[in-house]
Amino acid sequence: MGIQKKMQHFRITPEDLCSKGPRFVLDKLRDSAKGGGYYIANTERDLSQSDFKNRIMPHTQLIVADERNESGFFSLEITGGASVHVDLLRKQINPIEKLEILREKMPDLLFQTLCRGVNLFGYRPYPENVVRLTVQNFARYVHVWRVFDFLNHIPNMIPVYEEVQKAGCLLEPAICFSTGEEHTDEFYVRKVGQILDVTGKDIVLCIKNHGGLGSSHRIGRLVRTILERYPDLVIHYHGHNTDGADTFRIVAAVQNGAIIVDASDHAMTGFYGPPPLMSVVHELADIGYEARGLDIKPIVEASNKLRAERPFYKDFESQFFGFDPTVQLHKLPGGATGSSFEQAVKGGFLDRMPEILQKELPQVQIELGNWWSVTPGSQILWTTALTNVLEGERYKKASDDLKNLLLGRYGEFPFRFPDDNVYRAVFGDKWKQIRDNDYGPQVIEDVSIEAEKKVLEKRIGRDATDDDLVLYLQHPNDAVNFFKYEAKHGKTWVLPPSVWLRKGGFKLGEKIEFTDYKGKNHTIEVGPQRKNKNADVVTYLVVDHHVEPFVTVMEENAESVKKVAISAKEMADLAQKGDIRAHIKGTVNEVSVKEGEKVGKGQVLIVLEAMKMLNNVVSEIDGQVSEIIISAGDSVDVGDKLMSIKKD
């Protein structure tokens, strides 16, 4: 058999899955693994999230689509995790439309997603009917569904399991991996058995080593132990390269029976995401393992193109280069590691990062039960450790997400309850009574899909498609903002990163020339500019010889107003008078009261979202809401006025 025919023989395509079903794909994977074979999945989505803060633009993905389609990967992870949110929020592209466009260019490649169980592509649990509708919608384009839960709590994943299997897609339940005395092979084998009791045998099992933890020996032993108990399982190993050692763990996983492993394009790999794909292939080839179906030539050609794109994303790479072996202590996953340093620079506490990462965070993890540091758990752990250090008091300013975790809202603790002193610090002296009375999973009632659709249509002023509705149900405010943005500005995502991510603006008279992802050349000329009768500025853009006017509405007072900082004590004093201020910088997630409504001390008024965490703003007095200044979706800074309450 010639080399090309051999590659084609081993490849698994969407047609295989759609026409012959998951069992055919699984059998082909097992047969192909005989005699030293394995498959590579390109986890581009994880690379983008971990090393570029999810900013890799569709234009960049599209210019290497032909090469990726020819490469022979088992799958391409192209959506899921935080990318759905960031597509709407930062890249101004509909994440479902993105899949449709990419599918056109890569018809021979399985698309893969990462799904957080009942948290879907968000950061907290959704109603079950929303979960099912979302999976049904995305399953039109996504073939492989990697599904995890940060507590490895299987009930949190069952609705997704069921809908993926109904859709005829390939289900890939994940066991999240970590280290410590509780994390034994026996525990993980038992967890695999619990998954199989729910799903049946026709699955791929993922070992999700999201932090890049443990040694190669540890990973190899875990793979071998699982296969000794369940010899027909197809195991997919996923890890991060934060400590620089994930290639070793991949080799050990394959040597011990893993059939699929994760890596990505060498031109874009960094420190916190997956390791370079070609390094994995070369290392395994030297000891007799062949990457089935893989064609090296288009993989190299893709990286040759991507290398020229990488400079446009330099502002989103971590400010701190170099591998981080201390990940074995702090256990942060790739995306959280990069963003934590970014937050430290912006917040002015960079000098305290060693204390936070190497001392406080490991202690917090042990005290909270030593479960898995992956979304949303990683945000809870990081925010708690950070607050403990910066406030100088441990657990005294607990986030609402931490309180929900302690009360079992996210599911059962896998090993033990957190330490008693944590409950006492968070809930006070009556902590045991509170835990005993209030502990239990969060019950989220189904929403009326039709009613939500009417609300959406009212907010955007047009009929909503099913895709619009699904995105709105996950990220209501950001989806509405996106729909309005696209209605006003069109599909700006077609711009290449050299234009989209350029800093400093554009000068009058400047000419911008670029080639789009289809190879078509474009020219944009900036200017001329004039003022209209309202003293607003009209700038003319000549786009491919077609004139487009853009109006910039000028503020009545052009002089900048210097913001006066308000201390925490001043805000507390104002709150006693009914003047409610923002204690953090973030986005208004929800306004829980209405003007004229009677409120009591301790009642939730507003929910603010920051760093993916929800923070309640509560009333410090009994009274009546006299004025609400903000609304859902608004951005607020520390000290901004939110509402007024007339004190009883």
Side-chain angles (χ1 to χ4, degrees), residues 17-18 21-22 128-129 131-140 142-143 145 147 157-172 198-200 202-203:
L17 180 64
C18 294
E128 186 174 316
N129 62 339
V131 172
R132 293 182 183 277
L133 181 65
T134 301
V135 176
Q136 292 163 13
N137 192 274
F138 273 79
R140 293 176 294 157
V142 177
H143 310 100
W145 287 74
V147 188
M157 298 182 275
I158 288 175
V160 178
Y161 289 172
E162 291 177 347
E163 291 303 324
V164 169
Q165 291 183 316
K166 282 180 190 175
C169 297
L170 194 58
L171 176 61
E172 186 174 301
V198 173
T199 64
D202 291 336
I203 64 165

Side-chain angles (χ1 to χ4, degrees), residues 90-147:
R90 298 283 181 250
K91 294 186 275 190
Q92 274 68 53
I93 185 171
N94 184 312
I96 300 173
E97 180 188 20
K98 180 181 81 171
L99 289 173
E100 182 181 3
I101 293 164
L102 290 169
R103 163 62 41 227
E104 234 178 84
K105 298 281 284 183
M106 292 180 278
D108 303 321
L109 189 53
L110 293 173
F111 278 10
Q112 180 173 306
T113 190
L114 177 71
C115 178
R116 302 162 178 157
V118 292
N119 296 327
L120 287 172
F121 307 125
Y123 315 107
R124 54 198 52 87
Y126 291 95
E128 186 174 316
N129 62 339
V130 171
V131 172
R132 293 182 183 277
L133 181 65
T134 301
V135 176
Q136 292 163 13
N137 192 274
F138 273 79
R140 293 176 294 157
Y141 303 109
V142 177
H143 310 100
V144 183
W145 287 74
R146 179 178 292 165
V147 188

Side-chain angles (χ1 to χ4, degrees), residues 260-327:
I260 313 167
V261 295
D262 283 354
S264 198
D265 309 273
H266 57 267
M268 297 295 281
T269 48
F271 305 101
Y272 306 129
L277 189 153
M278 291 295 298
S279 299
V280 170
V281 172
H282 290 151
E283 188 69 23
L284 281 164
D286 199 48
I287 54 174
Y289 290 89
E290 180 186 79
R292 300 300 197 202
L294 207 66
D295 189 346
I296 299 301
K297 185 173 181 289
I299 292 173
V300 173
E301 289 172 349
S303 267
N304 290 341
K305 288 184 177 181
L306 290 170
R307 199 174 297 283
E309 293 280 296
R310 186 165 183 160
F312 303 127
Y313 298 102
K314 61 180 172 54
D315 291 329
F316 302 112
E317 295 195 61
S318 173
Q319 297 88 341
F320 301 92
F321 299 129
F323 296 109
D324 181 16
T326 69
V327 69

Side-chain angles (χ1 to χ4, degrees), residues 204-220:
V204 172
L205 176 78
C206 176
I207 297 175
K208 181 173 168 56
N209 190 3
H210 44 274
L213 303 178
S215 65
S216 57
H217 172 75
R218 176 72 183 88
I219 294 300

Side-chain angles (χ1 to χ4, degrees), residues 18-56:
C18 294
S19 64
K20 299 173 184 175
R23 185 170 296 179
F24 172 84
V25 171
L26 292 167
D27 287 342
K28 189 169 183 178
L29 285 165
R30 294 186 193 100
D31 290 342
S32 300
K34 293 173 182 175
Y38 71 98
Y39 283 84
I40 287 266
N42 186 334
T43 48
E44 189 254 35
R45 192 278 321 162
D46 204 2
L47 179 147
S48 177
Q49 180 164 328
S50 298
D51 288 313
F52 299 95
K53 299 180 178 64
N54 250 322
R55 294 306 206 285
I56 303 299

Side-chain angles (χ1 to χ4, degrees), residues 39 88 113 153 223 227 341 376 386 389 501 505 594:
Y39 283 84
L88 294 168
T113 190
H153 188 57
V223 172
L227 288 174
F341 279 112
L386 175 63
V389 169
L501 300 175
K594 298 177 181 178

